[in-house]
């Protein structure tokens, strides 16, 4: 395969974009790492540079910078900088359904990680995310994308509004973990309503033609996240992002107080 192969040329262009984004992220992480103490005296004990918490991140960053530099020059040599400023080349063809779905998945992931998980019970957050994906890519119901986008947008507006109205500490950002019980309660209620809407719509539209798929979807949406929460909380003892969510609180009550495990 020669350098004039159009597929290889396109790969070099994607490599160039990828390495530029990665270098920017590494530069940001390096800035944070350099803020760690390299040496000093704490409680009368002198710490040396080789026990600094910044040492291991710096080693990893050096290796990643080296790899990125190699990829950067390789991509540059293969004419990877071509179309760098072309927006369609960055975001894809806006008329292509695969491109739209790719960005929809990215948007749902961003909502899940940065809005749902810090705001509401982890189980509820995960069920909404899984129900959204199964509606579009497994059940493929009528107007599924429109429904999923509408429900998620309304939920995001609701959660952000609740957190903004009930925020007591101005220094707590919207991406921070929510630790106010009232706020968590209302966020859990909002997420539960959104989940019921999604599940009700799935059953209504899919009951006549997708009964088997609906059973598998119910297992994926309701049962699998519950198993994950049980494993993380009671087997691996991993704290949930929102510790006072209603589902995890109920499970704690059930496991520790009622079953005495």
């Amino acid at each position: 395969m020669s350098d004039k192969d159009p597929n290889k040329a396109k790969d070099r262009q994607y490599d160039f974009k990828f390495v530029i984004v990665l270098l920017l992220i590494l530069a940001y992480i390096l800035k944070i790492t350099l803020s760690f103490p390299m040496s000093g005296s704490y409680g009368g004990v002198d710490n040396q540079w080789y026990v600094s918490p910044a040492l291991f991140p710096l080693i990893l960053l050096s290796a990643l910078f080296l790899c990125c530099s190699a990829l950067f020059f390789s991509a540059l040599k293969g004419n990877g900088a071509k179309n760098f400023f072309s927006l369609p080349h960055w975001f894809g063809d806006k008329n292509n359904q695969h491109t739209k779905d790719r960005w929809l998945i990215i948007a749902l992931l961003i909502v899940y990680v940065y809005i749902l998980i810090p705001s509401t019970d982890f189980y509820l957050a995960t069920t909404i995310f899984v129900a959204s994906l199964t509606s579009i890519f497994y059940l493929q119901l009528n107007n599924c994308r429109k429904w999923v986008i509408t429900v998620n947008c309304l939920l995001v507006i609701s959660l952000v509004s609740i957190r903004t109205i009930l925020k007591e500490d101005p220094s707590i950002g919207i991406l921070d973990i929510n630790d106010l019980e009232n706020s968590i309660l209302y966020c859990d209620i909002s997420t539960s309503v959104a989940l019921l809407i999604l599940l009700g719509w799935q059953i209504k539209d899919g009951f006549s033609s997708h009964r088997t798929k609906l059973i598998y979807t119910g297992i994926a949406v309701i049962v699998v996240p519950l198993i994950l929460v049980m494993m993380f909380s009671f087997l691996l003892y991993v704290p949930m992002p929102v510790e006072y969510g209603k589902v995890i609180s109920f499970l704690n009550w059930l496991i520790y107080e009622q079953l005495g495990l």
Side-chain angles (χ1 to χ4, degrees), residues 58-237:
L58 285 175
I59 293 173
L60 287 180
L61 286 170
S62 301
L64 287 172
F65 270 116
L66 194 61
C67 294
C68 285
S69 299
L71 182 59
F72 175 82
F73 288 112
S74 172
L76 200 61
K77 187 178 177 183
N79 203 19
K82 185 180 179 182
N83 294 323
F84 182 74
F85 296 102
S86 169
L87 286 181
H89 205 263
W90 275 89
F91 298 107
D93 182 3
K94 64 181 181 181
N95 297 318
N96 186 299
Q97 188 59 53
H98 292 298
T99 302
K100 293 179 182 177
D101 286 341
R102 181 181 66 194
W103 286 107
L104 178 57
I105 293 172
I106 292 173
L108 290 173
L109 267 173
I110 291 173
V111 168
Y112 175 57
V113 173
Y114 293 107
I115 302 294
L116 295 179
I117 288 181
S119 304
T120 189
D121 189 279
F122 179 75
Y123 172 78
L124 295 174
T126 305
T127 54
I128 283 287
F129 178 67
V130 178
S132 299
L133 292 182
T134 52
S135 297
I136 298 172
F137 300 107
Y138 184 60
L139 293 174
Q140 297 182 335
L141 303 173
N142 296 327
N143 298 318
C144 51
R145 291 168 181 81
K146 180 180 176 183
W147 264 95
V148 166
I149 292 171
T150 302
V151 170
N152 275 272
C153 285
L154 291 175
L155 179 60
V156 167
I157 293 171
S158 174
L159 297 184
V160 171
S161 300
I162 291 169
R163 298 196 59 176
T164 303
I165 293 171
L166 298 180
K167 186 168 66 173
E168 295 178 352
D169 186 351
S171 64
I172 297 177
I174 194 63
L175 301 183
D176 295 332
I177 300 296
N178 192 0
D179 58 357
L180 295 174
E181 291 194 29
N182 282 341
S183 177
I184 295 171
L185 172 62
Y186 294 126
C187 287
D188 283 356
I189 292 173
S190 299
T191 311
S192 300
V193 171
L195 178 63
L196 289 175
I197 292 173
L198 272 181
L199 292 179
W201 166 69
Q202 285 185 350
I203 294 171
K204 177 178 173 297
D205 270 34
F207 187 75
S208 58
S209 56
H210 298 89
R211 293 187 185 183
T212 305
K213 283 187 173 182
L214 276 177
I215 295 173
Y216 294 139
T217 301
I219 294 172
V221 174
I222 304 297
V223 179
V224 173
L226 186 62
I227 294 173
L228 286 177
V229 170
M230 298 282 283
M231 287 179 59
F232 283 136
S233 292
F234 306 109
L235 185 63
L236 301 175
Y237 298 106

